[in-house]
Amino acid sequence: MAQTNGRTNRRDIYLKLRQMVLTLELAPGAALSENELAASMGVSRTPVRESLILLAQEGLVQVFPKIGSFVSRVDPGQVADAQFLREAVELASLDDLPAELDPAVVGELRDNLDRQRRAEDLGLEEFFDLDEAFHQGLMRLSGHGNVWTTVAAAKGHLDRARRLGLHENVSPAVFVAQHREIFDAIAGGDVPLARTAMRTHLRAVFDDIERIRAHSPELFATDAMSVPVRRNIVVWE
């Protein structure tokens, strides 16, 4: 990563590390070495340390004195909180849909859905980006697109759980079908159906968590988490 002025450099490093955590490149429970991270990013330890502090404030990193820093495990409680916020915002946004939908945004959503239909040929992150753009687009239809930034900032644990779910699913086709159902209901002016479909779609993550936790409990936080021991953690590819 090229060095720029200090402020930009720190912001870039923070965003890069946050993305590595959210995309599971740095897996839940992975030990973090400031020296190794700094070397891999071509920067000094100081901006890395500052970034880890910011990520700790978000609950994405845990720092244990005299032991080290670790990527936090996915916290089902924080997933539920973020899901509550997201569901409340997105359902309220549906209630504000105008009688005449913006044709430009509708066109973007149709194009997005067409690209999602080729989900089998997409990488996980490509599909995840389309998913995010689809939901933000729905909020833009009701004039609340800018609120998405606030929602996105609050759902770090939720996004990791969603990615774990995508890793588990053989195909994202079920999510594509749910998106299509939501869009068709909106385009047809059936807001109650759109709300029901949206609620079902957003809550699917809870089933994913229970299924994954059954065979990989080490990825999730518990009420009585022990202090971790530094060890190598296999990262997601």
Side-chain angles (χ1 to χ4, degrees):
M1 177 178 295
Q3 297 255 9
T4 56
N5 67 72
R7 180 172 299 179
T8 301
N9 183 250
R10 289 181 176 87
R11 179 67 176 171
D12 289 346
I13 293 167
Y14 159 73
L15 291 175
K16 174 60 177 176
L17 288 175
R18 188 176 192 274
Q19 187 68 3
M20 291 170 71
V21 171
L22 295 185
T23 61
L24 310 177
E25 183 176 347
L26 292 172
L32 298 171
S33 165
E34 291 181 7
N35 286 333
E36 291 177 5
L37 290 171
S40 67
M41 302 172 84
V43 298
S44 69
R45 288 177 56 189
T46 299
V48 171
R49 184 182 306 114
E50 292 172 346
S51 296
L52 293 180
I53 291 172
L54 292 176
L55 292 171
Q57 292 172 354
E58 291 185 54
L60 296 175
V61 165
Q62 289 180 294
V63 179
F64 295 89
K66 299 182 180 180
I67 297 176
S69 299
F70 298 79
V71 177
S72 64
R73 290 171 169 80
V74 177
D75 186 334
Q78 292 195 46
V79 172
D81 288 343
Q83 178 61 28
F84 174 81
L85 171 64
R86 181 179 183 182
E87 184 175 311
V89 169
E90 294 206 47
L91 292 183
S93 180
L94 291 176
D95 289 337
D96 282 350
L97 286 168
E100 295 294 329
L101 301 177
D102 185 328
V105 179
V106 169
E108 291 176 17
L109 288 168
R110 291 188 188 279
D111 178 67
N112 182 295
L113 287 170
D114 286 342
R115 294 165 65 191
Q116 286 186 42
R117 286 196 325 186
R118 301 190 293 273
E120 301 295 346
D121 300 323
L122 298 175
L124 184 149
E125 286 305 315
E126 291 177 287
F127 180 78
F128 193 91
D129 289 344
L130 286 173
D131 181 293
E132 293 281 284
F134 176 78
H135 284 273
Q136 184 178 19
L138 294 182
M139 294 186 65
R140 286 170 58 205
L141 278 179
S142 61
H144 299 300
N146 291 335
V147 179
W148 185 256
T149 302
T150 302
V151 174
K155 60 188 183 76
H157 280 267
L158 173 60
D159 283 348
R160 290 197 294 164
R162 290 169 59 209
R163 283 183 169 94
L164 287 172
L166 285 172
H167 275 290
E168 285 280 303
N169 286 287
V170 175
S171 168
V174 62
F175 303 119
V176 178
Q178 291 171 349
H179 287 160
R180 172 61 68 178
E181 182 181 11
I182 295 167
F183 176 80
D184 287 346
I186 291 172
D190 193 340
V191 173
L193 177 58
R195 286 175 57 87
T196 299
M198 178 70 81
R199 186 180 292 110
T200 298
H201 172 62
L202 294 180
R203 292 185 180 182
V205 68
F206 296 124
D207 292 333
D208 289 338
I209 286 177
E210 292 309 311
R211 186 174 65 257
I212 298 166
R213 187 156 53 175
H215 63 72
S216 299
E218 73 280 0
L219 298 175
F220 296 88
T222 65
D223 293 334
M225 288 294 294
S226 59
V227 176
V229 177
R230 294 192 72 87
R231 59 188 176 86
N232 293 326
I233 304 277
V234 176
V235 299
W236 295 87
E237 296 181 353

